[in-house]
Amino acid sequence: MNHLPLVSRPHGGVLELRLNRPERLNALTHELSGALLDALARAQADAAVRVILLTAEGRAFCAGKDRDDPPSPAFVDTLQQIAATMLTGSKPVVAAVQGWAVGAGFELALGADLIVAGHDARFKLPETQLGLPATGGVHMLLPRLVGTARAKGLLWLGRELDAGQAHQWGMVWELVEPSALQGRALALAQELAQLTPEALSRVKRLIHDGLLPDVPQALEREAAP
């Protein structure tokens, strides 16, 4: 097994970025988040990459921040930069989510343009319950995806959102059997990669300009003390 915390796999015009800390449920560390930011930035600048596919090794997508990794403002800044790169970048991002997507893992999935989720997927934002700030643009993204009341409830109460509810509420594009998740997400990314890059970019830009016109300012406010 490759022991790098992030593994890059090209599939033609699709670049797969796979979180690779399954023994820690792919919890984010400074090393992993930094590697992800660098890989996303390179992919956005690479003309050979038409679509970015975000996946994870093992039974969970991402369990949030690794509690054994010392907290620091630099980590939060990296999370905000990841969100900015995904949201303002011109290329579509598809996320394949299995098992838990908790805290920063939930926020990471929200930054994708399309989420394909296994029926076993579970989403949770426990930060407010723990007295911690949520990041990754969640305060901007979640209300637009699921509505204001649902967003406040999820953020305040830290309730678990199962895959079926996430799909019903419009957060998840497609639900699949867990065994089919990786293959279906790759097929979707490859389908997008067959389209004209300019058309993909234009659609994303026009939608985000209308719904998310102030991404940098929103991320800055979110990270403020």
Side-chain angles (χ1 to χ4, degrees), residues 47-165:
V49 177
R50 294 191 173 195
V51 178
I52 299 165
L53 174 61
L54 186 58
T55 67
E57 190 69 33
R59 60 191 177 92
F61 177 72
C62 177
K65 184 188 181 301
D66 193 317
R67 294 183 181 182
D68 291 340
D69 208 44
S72 77
F75 179 77
V76 174
D77 183 61
T78 300
L79 293 182
Q80 302 306 78
Q81 290 184 64
I82 288 172
T85 302
M86 294 173 71
L87 295 172
T88 64
S90 63
K91 298 175 183 180
V93 181
V94 175
V97 177
Q98 77 274 22
W100 282 109
V102 179
F106 189 163
E107 296 155 14
L108 184 60
L110 281 183
D113 298 292
L114 297 175
I115 297 175
V116 181
H119 287 288
D120 63 338
R122 299 291 183 271
F123 302 87
K124 187 173 183 178
L125 290 165
E127 286 93 334
T128 302
Q129 296 283 304
L130 300 172
L132 301 171
T135 54
V138 67
H139 301 90
M140 169 182 57
L141 291 166
L142 199 58
R144 288 164 170 82
L145 288 169
V146 305
T148 303
R150 288 169 174 166
K152 289 177 180 176
L154 288 170
L155 283 160
W156 278 336
L157 302 173
R159 300 280 171 79
E160 175 187 328
L161 181 66
D162 66 34
Q165 283 180 300

Side-chain angles (χ1 to χ4, degrees), residues 147-225:
T148 303
R150 288 169 174 166
K152 289 177 180 176
L154 288 170
L155 283 160
W156 278 336
L157 302 173
R159 300 280 171 79
E160 175 187 328
L161 181 66
D162 66 34
Q165 283 180 300
H167 184 249
Q168 183 181 10
W169 287 3
M171 196 182 83
V172 167
W173 168 253
E174 186 175 353
L175 278 181
V176 298
E177 291 300 322
S179 60
L181 175 64
Q182 302 300 327
R184 178 60 197 134
L186 176 58
L188 175 61
Q190 290 174 325
E191 182 180 353
L192 291 171
Q194 296 303 309
L195 303 176
T196 305
E198 291 77 14
L200 290 170
S201 175
R202 176 176 171 80
V203 169
K204 180 170 180 174
R205 184 180 70 252
L206 288 173
I207 290 176
H208 283 208
D209 283 351
L211 292 177
L212 307 171
D214 58 346
V215 170
Q217 294 88 344
L219 291 171
E220 185 178 346
R221 288 194 299 269
E222 190 176 62

Side-chain angles (χ1 to χ4, degrees), residues 1-2 19-27 56-60:
M1 175 191 261
N2 194 319
L19 307 180
N20 189 38
R21 302 186 71 231
E23 73 286 354
R24 298 290 293 178
L25 302 182
N26 298 307
E57 190 69 33
R59 60 191 177 92

